[in-house]
Short mmCIF file of all heavy atoms in Angstrom, two decimals:
data_model
loop_
_atom_site.label_atom_id
_atom_site.label_comp_id
_atom_site.label_asym_id
_atom_site.label_seq_id
_atom_site.Cartn_x
_atom_site.Cartn_y
_atom_site.Cartn_z
N GLU G 1 0.83 -1.20 0.00
CA GLU G 1 0.00 0.00 0.00
C GLU G 1 0.87 1.26 0.00
O GLU G 1 0.58 2.21 -0.73
CB GLU G 1 -0.92 0.00 1.22
CG GLU G 1 -1.89 1.17 1.25
CD GLU G 1 -2.86 1.08 2.41
OE1 GLU G 1 -2.80 0.09 3.17
OE2 GLU G 1 -3.69 2.00 2.54
N ARG G 2 1.94 1.23 0.77
CA ARG G 2 2.81 2.41 0.87
C ARG G 2 3.48 2.74 -0.45
O ARG G 2 3.59 3.91 -0.82
CB ARG G 2 3.86 2.14 1.94
CG ARG G 2 4.89 3.25 2.12
CD ARG G 2 5.83 2.92 3.27
NE ARG G 2 6.96 3.81 3.33
CZ ARG G 2 7.99 3.66 4.16
NH1 ARG G 2 7.99 2.64 5.00
NH2 ARG G 2 9.00 4.50 4.13
N PHE G 3 3.94 1.71 -1.17
CA PHE G 3 4.68 1.95 -2.41
C PHE G 3 3.87 1.68 -3.67
O PHE G 3 4.41 1.68 -4.77
CB PHE G 3 5.95 1.08 -2.42
CG PHE G 3 6.98 1.53 -1.42
CD1 PHE G 3 7.08 0.87 -0.19
CD2 PHE G 3 7.81 2.60 -1.67
CE1 PHE G 3 8.02 1.27 0.75
CE2 PHE G 3 8.76 3.01 -0.75
CZ PHE G 3 8.86 2.36 0.47
N GLU G 4 2.58 1.42 -3.52
CA GLU G 4 1.67 1.20 -4.64
C GLU G 4 2.14 0.03 -5.51
O GLU G 4 2.27 0.14 -6.73
CB GLU G 4 1.51 2.47 -5.48
CG GLU G 4 0.89 3.63 -4.69
CD GLU G 4 0.73 4.88 -5.52
OE1 GLU G 4 1.40 4.99 -6.56
OE2 GLU G 4 -0.06 5.74 -5.14
N LEU G 5 2.42 -1.08 -4.85
CA LEU G 5 2.83 -2.31 -5.52
C LEU G 5 1.86 -3.43 -5.19
O LEU G 5 1.10 -3.34 -4.21
CB LEU G 5 4.24 -2.72 -5.06
CG LEU G 5 5.39 -1.78 -5.44
CD1 LEU G 5 6.66 -2.17 -4.69
CD2 LEU G 5 5.63 -1.80 -6.94
N ASP G 6 1.87 -4.47 -5.98
CA ASP G 6 1.03 -5.63 -5.70
C ASP G 6 1.59 -6.37 -4.48
O ASP G 6 2.81 -6.57 -4.38
CB ASP G 6 1.03 -6.56 -6.93
CG ASP G 6 0.00 -7.66 -6.80
OD1 ASP G 6 0.22 -8.58 -5.98
OD2 ASP G 6 -1.01 -7.62 -7.53
N PRO G 7 0.74 -6.78 -3.53
CA PRO G 7 1.25 -7.50 -2.35
C PRO G 7 2.06 -8.75 -2.70
O PRO G 7 3.04 -9.06 -2.02
CB PRO G 7 -0.03 -7.87 -1.58
CG PRO G 7 -1.02 -6.84 -1.99
CD PRO G 7 -0.71 -6.53 -3.42
N GLU G 8 1.68 -9.45 -3.76
CA GLU G 8 2.43 -10.64 -4.15
C GLU G 8 3.82 -10.26 -4.65
O GLU G 8 4.80 -10.96 -4.37
CB GLU G 8 1.68 -11.42 -5.24
CG GLU G 8 2.34 -12.73 -5.65
CD GLU G 8 2.38 -13.77 -4.54
OE1 GLU G 8 1.72 -13.59 -3.50
OE2 GLU G 8 3.09 -14.78 -4.71
N ARG G 9 3.93 -9.14 -5.35
CA ARG G 9 5.25 -8.68 -5.78
C ARG G 9 6.12 -8.33 -4.58
O ARG G 9 7.31 -8.66 -4.55
CB ARG G 9 5.11 -7.46 -6.70
CG ARG G 9 6.43 -6.77 -7.06
CD ARG G 9 7.42 -7.72 -7.70
NE ARG G 9 6.99 -8.16 -9.00
CZ ARG G 9 7.53 -9.19 -9.66
NH1 ARG G 9 8.49 -9.89 -9.10
NH2 ARG G 9 7.09 -9.54 -10.85
N VAL G 10 5.53 -7.69 -3.57
CA VAL G 10 6.31 -7.33 -2.38
C VAL G 10 6.77 -8.59 -1.65
O VAL G 10 7.89 -8.64 -1.13
CB VAL G 10 5.49 -6.41 -1.45
CG1 VAL G 10 6.26 -6.14 -0.16
CG2 VAL G 10 5.16 -5.10 -2.15
N ARG G 11 5.95 -9.63 -1.63
CA ARG G 11 6.35 -10.88 -0.98
C ARG G 11 7.55 -11.50 -1.68
O ARG G 11 8.44 -12.08 -1.03
CB ARG G 11 5.18 -11.87 -0.97
CG ARG G 11 5.40 -13.05 -0.03
CD ARG G 11 4.34 -14.12 -0.18
NE ARG G 11 4.55 -14.94 -1.36
CZ ARG G 11 5.44 -15.93 -1.44
NH1 ARG G 11 6.25 -16.18 -0.42
NH2 ARG G 11 5.55 -16.65 -2.54
N LEU G 12 7.61 -11.37 -3.00
CA LEU G 12 8.69 -11.95 -3.78
C LEU G 12 9.93 -11.06 -3.83
O LEU G 12 11.03 -11.52 -4.11
CB LEU G 12 8.22 -12.20 -5.22
CG LEU G 12 7.10 -13.22 -5.42
CD1 LEU G 12 6.54 -13.11 -6.83
CD2 LEU G 12 7.60 -14.62 -5.15
N LEU G 13 9.74 -9.78 -3.53
CA LEU G 13 10.79 -8.80 -3.76
C LEU G 13 12.07 -9.03 -2.96
O LEU G 13 13.17 -8.85 -3.50
CB LEU G 13 10.24 -7.39 -3.51
CG LEU G 13 10.97 -6.22 -4.17
CD1 LEU G 13 11.25 -6.47 -5.63
CD2 LEU G 13 10.13 -4.94 -4.00
N PRO G 14 12.01 -9.43 -1.67
CA PRO G 14 13.28 -9.68 -0.97
C PRO G 14 14.16 -10.69 -1.69
O PRO G 14 15.38 -10.52 -1.76
CB PRO G 14 12.83 -10.19 0.40
CG PRO G 14 11.46 -9.63 0.59
CD PRO G 14 10.85 -9.62 -0.77
N ALA G 15 13.56 -11.73 -2.24
CA ALA G 15 14.33 -12.73 -2.98
C ALA G 15 14.95 -12.10 -4.23
O ALA G 15 16.12 -12.35 -4.55
CB ALA G 15 13.44 -13.91 -3.35
N GLY G 16 14.17 -11.30 -4.95
CA GLY G 16 14.71 -10.63 -6.13
C GLY G 16 15.86 -9.70 -5.79
O GLY G 16 16.87 -9.64 -6.50
N VAL G 17 15.72 -8.98 -4.68
CA VAL G 17 16.78 -8.06 -4.23
C VAL G 17 18.06 -8.84 -3.94
O VAL G 17 19.17 -8.42 -4.33
CB VAL G 17 16.34 -7.27 -2.99
CG1 VAL G 17 17.51 -6.49 -2.40
CG2 VAL G 17 15.20 -6.33 -3.33
N LEU G 18 17.95 -9.97 -3.27
CA LEU G 18 19.13 -10.76 -2.91
C LEU G 18 19.83 -11.31 -4.14
O LEU G 18 21.07 -11.40 -4.18
CB LEU G 18 18.74 -11.88 -1.95
CG LEU G 18 18.28 -11.42 -0.57
CD1 LEU G 18 17.73 -12.60 0.23
CD2 LEU G 18 19.41 -10.75 0.19
N ILE G 19 19.07 -11.67 -5.17
CA ILE G 19 19.68 -12.13 -6.42
C ILE G 19 20.40 -10.98 -7.11
O ILE G 19 21.54 -11.11 -7.57
CB ILE G 19 18.62 -12.76 -7.34
CG1 ILE G 19 18.03 -14.02 -6.70
CG2 ILE G 19 19.23 -13.11 -8.71
CD1 ILE G 19 16.82 -14.58 -7.42
N LEU G 20 19.74 -9.83 -7.19
CA LEU G 20 20.38 -8.66 -7.80
C LEU G 20 21.64 -8.26 -7.05
O LEU G 20 22.65 -7.89 -7.66
CB LEU G 20 19.39 -7.50 -7.84
CG LEU G 20 18.23 -7.65 -8.83
CD1 LEU G 20 17.13 -6.63 -8.52
CD2 LEU G 20 18.72 -7.47 -10.26
N GLU G 21 21.59 -8.33 -5.73
CA GLU G 21 22.76 -8.01 -4.91
C GLU G 21 23.91 -8.98 -5.22
O GLU G 21 25.07 -8.56 -5.39
CB GLU G 21 22.39 -8.09 -3.43
CG GLU G 21 23.54 -7.79 -2.48
CD GLU G 21 23.11 -7.98 -1.03
OE1 GLU G 21 22.92 -9.15 -0.61
OE2 GLU G 21 22.94 -6.97 -0.34
N ALA G 22 23.60 -10.28 -5.30
CA ALA G 22 24.62 -11.28 -5.57
C ALA G 22 25.25 -11.08 -6.94
O ALA G 22 26.47 -11.18 -7.10
CB ALA G 22 24.03 -12.68 -5.45
N VAL G 23 24.42 -10.77 -7.95
CA VAL G 23 24.95 -10.57 -9.30
C VAL G 23 25.79 -9.29 -9.35
O VAL G 23 26.87 -9.26 -9.93
CB VAL G 23 23.82 -10.51 -10.33
CG1 VAL G 23 24.38 -10.19 -11.72
CG2 VAL G 23 23.06 -11.82 -10.38
N GLY G 24 25.27 -8.20 -8.76
CA GLY G 24 26.02 -6.95 -8.75
C GLY G 24 27.38 -7.11 -8.08
O GLY G 24 28.40 -6.61 -8.57
N ASP G 25 27.40 -7.83 -6.96
CA ASP G 25 28.67 -8.07 -6.27
C ASP G 25 29.62 -8.90 -7.14
O ASP G 25 30.83 -8.64 -7.18
CB ASP G 25 28.43 -8.78 -4.94
CG ASP G 25 27.78 -7.87 -3.89
OD1 ASP G 25 27.69 -6.65 -4.13
OD2 ASP G 25 27.36 -8.40 -2.84
N ALA G 26 29.07 -9.90 -7.82
CA ALA G 26 29.91 -10.76 -8.66
C ALA G 26 30.47 -10.00 -9.86
O ALA G 26 31.61 -10.23 -10.29
CB ALA G 26 29.11 -11.98 -9.14
N LEU G 27 29.67 -9.09 -10.42
CA LEU G 27 30.12 -8.29 -11.57
C LEU G 27 31.03 -7.14 -11.14
O LEU G 27 31.78 -6.62 -11.96
CB LEU G 27 28.92 -7.73 -12.33
CG LEU G 27 28.01 -8.74 -13.04
CD1 LEU G 27 26.81 -8.01 -13.66
CD2 LEU G 27 28.77 -9.51 -14.10
N GLY G 28 30.90 -6.71 -9.89
CA GLY G 28 31.69 -5.59 -9.41
C GLY G 28 31.19 -4.25 -9.89
O GLY G 28 31.95 -3.28 -9.93
N LEU G 29 29.91 -4.18 -10.26
CA LEU G 29 29.32 -2.94 -10.74
C LEU G 29 27.93 -2.76 -10.14
O LEU G 29 27.20 -3.73 -9.93
CB LEU G 29 29.16 -2.95 -12.27
CG LEU G 29 30.37 -2.60 -13.14
CD1 LEU G 29 29.98 -2.72 -14.60
CD2 LEU G 29 30.88 -1.20 -12.85
N ALA G 30 27.55 -1.50 -9.90
CA ALA G 30 26.17 -1.21 -9.50
C ALA G 30 25.27 -1.38 -10.72
O ALA G 30 25.62 -0.96 -11.82
CB ALA G 30 26.07 0.21 -8.95
N LEU G 31 24.11 -2.00 -10.52
CA LEU G 31 23.16 -2.20 -11.60
C LEU G 31 22.22 -1.00 -11.70
O LEU G 31 21.71 -0.53 -10.68
CB LEU G 31 22.33 -3.46 -11.35
CG LEU G 31 23.10 -4.76 -11.09
CD1 LEU G 31 22.13 -5.87 -10.73
CD2 LEU G 31 23.92 -5.15 -12.30
N LYS G 32 22.00 -0.52 -12.91
CA LYS G 32 21.00 0.51 -13.12
C LYS G 32 19.70 -0.16 -13.58
O LYS G 32 19.74 -1.14 -14.33
CB LYS G 32 21.47 1.52 -14.17
CG LYS G 32 22.71 2.30 -13.74
CD LYS G 32 23.06 3.36 -14.77
CE LYS G 32 24.32 4.12 -14.36
NZ LYS G 32 24.15 4.87 -13.11
N ILE G 33 18.57 0.33 -13.12
CA ILE G 33 17.29 -0.26 -13.51
C ILE G 33 16.99 0.12 -14.96
O ILE G 33 16.99 1.30 -15.32
CB ILE G 33 16.16 0.21 -12.59
CG1 ILE G 33 16.45 -0.22 -11.15
CG2 ILE G 33 14.82 -0.35 -13.06
CD1 ILE G 33 15.44 0.28 -10.14
N GLY G 34 16.75 -0.88 -15.79
CA GLY G 34 16.48 -0.66 -17.20
C GLY G 34 15.02 -0.31 -17.46
O GLY G 34 14.16 -0.40 -16.58
N ASN G 35 14.75 0.03 -18.70
CA ASN G 35 13.40 0.39 -19.12
C ASN G 35 12.73 -0.69 -19.97
O ASN G 35 11.60 -0.51 -20.42
CB ASN G 35 13.42 1.70 -19.91
CG ASN G 35 13.95 2.86 -19.10
OD1 ASN G 35 13.52 3.07 -17.96
ND2 ASN G 35 14.89 3.61 -19.64
N GLY G 36 13.44 -1.77 -20.21
CA GLY G 36 12.88 -2.82 -21.06
C GLY G 36 13.53 -4.15 -20.78
O GLY G 36 14.53 -4.24 -20.06
N GLY G 37 12.95 -5.21 -21.35
CA GLY G 37 13.46 -6.55 -21.15
C GLY G 37 12.91 -7.47 -22.22
O GLY G 37 12.82 -7.11 -23.40
#
């Protein structure tokens, strides 16, 4: 409700964050959020 996101997305988000953190650390670069996929 606070961030205007779907509750199911928020439940999954910590896992997504941890994966992004692991990849960013392995690459040695900060990831920028893209506009497409």
Side-chain angles (χ1 to χ4, degrees):
E1 184 175 359
R2 177 176 169 186
F3 290 99
E4 298 180 341
L5 294 169
D6 190 289
E8 184 65 12
R9 172 57 67 194
V10 175
R11 193 188 78 78
L12 296 167
L13 202 47
V17 171
L18 293 172
I19 296 170
L20 289 165
E21 179 183 72
V23 176
D25 288 350
L27 294 176
L29 278 178
L31 307 174
K32 296 185 182 296
I33 299 176
N35 299 312

